Amino acid sequence: LLRPPQPRPLAGKRMLITAGPTHEPIDPVRYIANRSSGKQGFAIAAAAHAAGADVTLISGPVELDDPLGVTVKHVESARDMLRQVEATLPVDIAIFAAAVADWRVASEGEQKLKKTAAGMPPLQLVENPDILATISHRKDGRPPLVIGFAAETEHLIENAKTKIARKGCDWIVANDVSPATGVMGGDRNTVHLLTRHGENIEVDSWPVMTKEEVAVELIAHVAKTVSP
Ligand code: CTP
Ligand code: CA
């Protein structure tokens, strides 16, 4: 069968994408997690592959099939994810779509925690490494285009603007993850693309789309920027 040749604007570009939640162990049988499905990150990986990029997808635990033609590294915790991200550098473009758990328990139990008469075990939390900020702030080998996500339930644009500055990334895809939107786990997403131009931040608000459509649109913007 003859198909018309597909445009491959990202041919020859190496791209890294994080996706999904992370699982932070409490003991051998329990963990801390969140409601991320991984759908948005997986859709971005598929769109990037379709545009010709050499894609590595680093994913936390999800119930999705690996996208065809993409190198997939499966991880559990935020610390595993950071290690795999660093092992994947150098890349031309990095997109951090994962909903990384912000905290993990300070000392993971080697044995299952048991109910005791002494009461409930206190769970001491410590902050996880910030993968996006770590990569954005690298002196050596920072990818030329670093894109983060901002998951917010209020003050979306304001929080996303603060986040782009704090993280040191170039673009942020801001999305409202309030329960009423159904974004977490759902198939649709309403996003705003924030792009940093020196001191200025431009905000481009997109209509509600499927996560596949958001992915294709984002990759089209990436392609326009890296190979205009
Ligand atoms: N991120 C990351 N590593 C973390 C936390 C977040 O790489 N430990 C990335 C996410 O993949 C996303 C961006 O940072 O691209 C913003 O994530 P978000 O949870 O919205 O922001 P936080 O900085 O964690 O702030 P908060 O959750 O308090 O809003
Ligand atoms: Ca967070």
Side-chain angles (χ1 to χ4, degrees):
L1 259 151
L2 278 175
R3 284 209 212 107
Q6 299 294 308
R8 292 166 57 85
L10 293 178
K13 300 291 181 195
R14 277 175 55 80
M15 197 153 160
L16 169 169
I17 296 157
T18 69
T22 62
H23 285 184
E24 308 297 330
I26 295 171
D27 68 18
V29 298
R30 303 183 177 98
Y31 56 83
I32 299 174
N34 62 62
R35 297 187 189 283
S36 169
S37 65
K39 283 178 191 168
Q40 186 64 80
F42 273 56
I44 294 168
H49 170 68
D54 171 3
V55 183
T56 301
L57 174 63
I58 299 155
S59 177
V62 294
E63 288 176 15
L64 299 171
D65 294 331
D66 290 357
L68 284 176
V70 168
T71 303
V72 186
K73 296 181 178 177
H74 292 278
V75 300
E76 292 274 328
S77 69
R79 285 173 299 168
D80 297 340
M81 187 173 274
L82 176 60
R83 268 191 291 275
Q84 290 299 334
V85 164
E86 287 180 325
T88 304
L89 298 180
V91 297
D92 301 291
I93 303 136
I95 303 182
F96 296 88
V100 182
D102 291 324
W103 306 284
R104 66 176 184 274
V105 298
S107 49
E108 176 186 344
E110 276 176 38
Q111 306 298 334
K112 184 185 160 191
L113 295 175
K114 300 293 289 177
K115 285 182 288 187
T116 63
M120 288 181 279
L123 284 185
Q124 175 91 47
L125 298 179
V126 293
E127 202 165 314
N128 267 328
D130 189 317
I131 303 169
L132 169 61
T134 303
I135 301 305
S136 283
H137 289 127
R138 267 174 85 106
K139 295 274 180 301
D140 286 334
R142 180 196 190 273
L145 181 58
V146 178
I147 305 172
F149 271 70
E152 308 290 347
T153 58
E154 56 180 357
H155 312 304
L156 178 60
I157 303 295
E158 192 185 319
N159 284 344
K161 281 187 174 170
T162 311
K163 224 166 244 183
I164 208 171
R166 182 161 51 81
K167 303 277 188 170
C169 57
D170 304 300
W171 299 1
I172 280 230
V173 181
N175 62 350
D176 186 338
V177 294
S178 305
T181 64
V183 167
M184 288 303 249
D187 292 319
R188 280 168 193 283
N189 208 352
T190 309
V191 309
H192 308 261
L193 179 64
L194 281 72
T195 53
R196 192 161 52 82
H197 309 269
E199 296 290 284
N200 282 342
I201 297 174
E202 200 177 296
V203 182
D204 190 7
S205 297
W206 299 355
V208 59
M209 294 182 204
T210 65
K211 290 181 177 178
E212 283 74 20
E213 288 165 341
V214 168
V216 168
E217 193 64 28
L218 180 63
I219 291 302
H221 272 71
V222 168
K224 241 191 291 167
T225 301
V226 303
S227 46

